[in-house]
Amino acid sequence: MATSKDESSEKAQPQPVMVVAIDESDHSAYALRWTLDHFFTAGNDSVFKLVLVHARPSATSSVGLAGPGAAEVLPIVDSDLRKIAARVADSAKQLCIKKSVNNVIVEVVEGDPRNVLCDTVDKYHASILVVGSHGYGAIKRAVLGSVSDYCAHHAHCSVMIVKKPKTKH
Amino acid sequence: MEELGGGVDQVRGGAEERRMKMKVMVAIDESDGSFYALNWALDNLFNVMTSTSTIGTSTNENEGMLFLVHVEPIFHNYVYPIGPSGAAFYPASVVVDSVKKGQQERSAALLSRALQICKDKQIKAESVILNGDPREMICQAAEQMQVDLLIMGSRGLGKLQRAFLGSVSDYCAHHAKAPILIVKPPDEHHKKHS
């Protein structure tokens, strides 16, 4: 069950890993900020090892039906998606650095978010998975699918769902 | 803000105070899952809050606050007889009272067990007993007390413990406004068909 390098702390166990899921939405940025504020105190070694993971949609899934021009469009879409993913990963990393959490692993993996998140949890033997939530109602959830819902059911570790508070109107 | 003028030390001091006093609520019921969640939370989360007492003037007591909430389902004051009449009637008040007392004793025993666990790990905790539908009461309590984090076990229905959440934790995951942490029971089968 050894994860990354052991910190020479009082405990002999390896450092527990916290995986945070990020995407382009505000909700996951809020979730990341909340997690950093509450779990990673500034200025000293944090207890958790932080892993950020971004699931990049693959080009083929975004383009949809293969039409006659699909072959030319795919590389463009692919590089575009890569740029977006890099930007997301970068801004997340900046956010961590701003809160003085260094030593963060950022992963960008291609594929469906649900599987990517659960696989990342398994890969790092994480103890917590943190996801934001779009706050869909029951119908949207059924139609669009909910990643946080899937992860809460299927991840092999504890799942923390952080919701961005709605502004009251 | 005054922090702008200060040096590095002052900023760091400000950051130390800014560290959240995290208010955590743990939902307790008779199931093992919720006690496992409580233990897991005490082990993993409160390390975070107690590990930083090395800087300067902060005292040894942890700054987090733990609330244990237990919801008793409402005992319906009527019973349906199985006999031919089929109409509901009100049982004698003696029966109602004794059931209520039994329920209260059970809740008190549960919470005292949970409080003892917290005391063993030297974490301050307060307990609350509520009446009503567990799903709604937990979400309401979390909102009223403005907790920072709500922790629940996930009982899981049937053998597929990983694939299903208990209905209360599922409801709260969707409806609670606060961030919610669902603690899964430990893995019993390592080979999981997925």
Side-chain angles (χ1 to χ4, degrees), chain B residues 14 25 35 92 96 101 110-111 126 137 139 149 175 179 185:
Chain B
M25 175 180 275
F35 277 93
V96 174
K101 200 152 94 79
L110 264 186
L111 280 179
E126 273 181 30
M137 297 312 290
C139 293
L149 183 61
H175 290 91

Side-chain angles (χ1 to χ4, degrees), chain A residues 145-168:
Chain A
S146 165
V147 173
S148 56
D149 217 26
Y150 181 91
C151 291
H153 285 71
H154 290 94
H156 290 164
C157 68
S158 309
V159 177
M160 181 152 72
I161 304 178
V162 181
K163 294 180 210 169
K164 186 168 167 185
K166 293 197 186 77
T167 51
K168 302 254 191 284

Side-chain angles (χ1 to χ4, degrees), chain A residues 17-167:
Chain A
V17 179
M18 179 185 283
V19 175
V20 181
I22 49 177
D23 65 1
E24 305 92 25
S25 72
D26 275 341
H27 301 269
S28 67
Y30 176 82
L32 179 58
R33 247 177 290 136
W34 190 95
T35 309
L36 289 171
D37 282 338
H38 286 81
F39 285 92
F40 293 89
T41 61
N44 29 350
D45 294 330
S46 50
V47 177
F48 283 103
K49 172 122 192 78
L50 183 62
V51 174
L52 305 179
V53 61
H54 173 55
R56 172 166 87 86
S58 63
T60 44
S61 67
S62 314
V63 170
L65 297 175
E72 289 121 28
V73 171
L74 274 182
I76 303 177
V77 171
D78 197 52
S79 77
D80 211 30
L81 286 175
R82 251 185 247 273
K83 276 198 219 118
I84 295 178
R87 201 180 52 208
V88 169
D90 207 43
S91 65
K93 194 141 195 213
Q94 291 300 320
L95 189 56
C96 291
I97 294 181
K98 203 161 68 165
K99 308 258 181 189
S100 16
V101 178
N102 306 314
N103 204 14
V104 174
I105 299 181
V106 182
E107 287 217 358
V108 177
V109 184
E110 183 173 323
D112 188 276
R114 303 162 228 228
N115 299 326
V116 165
L117 290 179
C118 294
D119 289 342
T120 310
V121 162
D122 288 336
K123 175 172 160 190
Y124 286 96
H125 298 287
S127 18
I128 311 184
L129 168 66
V130 183
V131 292
S133 161
H134 287 266
Y136 290 149
I139 298 183
K140 262 192 182 170
R141 207 179 270 274
V143 171
L144 295 173
S146 165
V147 173
S148 56
D149 217 26
Y150 181 91
C151 291
H153 285 71
H154 290 94
H156 290 164
C157 68
S158 309
V159 177
M160 181 152 72
I161 304 178
V162 181
K163 294 180 210 169
K164 186 168 167 185
K166 293 197 186 77
T167 51

Side-chain angles (χ1 to χ4, degrees), chain B residues 71-91:
Chain B
V71 183
E72 289 171 8
I74 289 185
F75 172 67
H76 295 282
N77 290 357
Y78 51 87
V79 296
Y80 288 99
I82 307 180
S85 59
F89 64 89
Y90 290 88

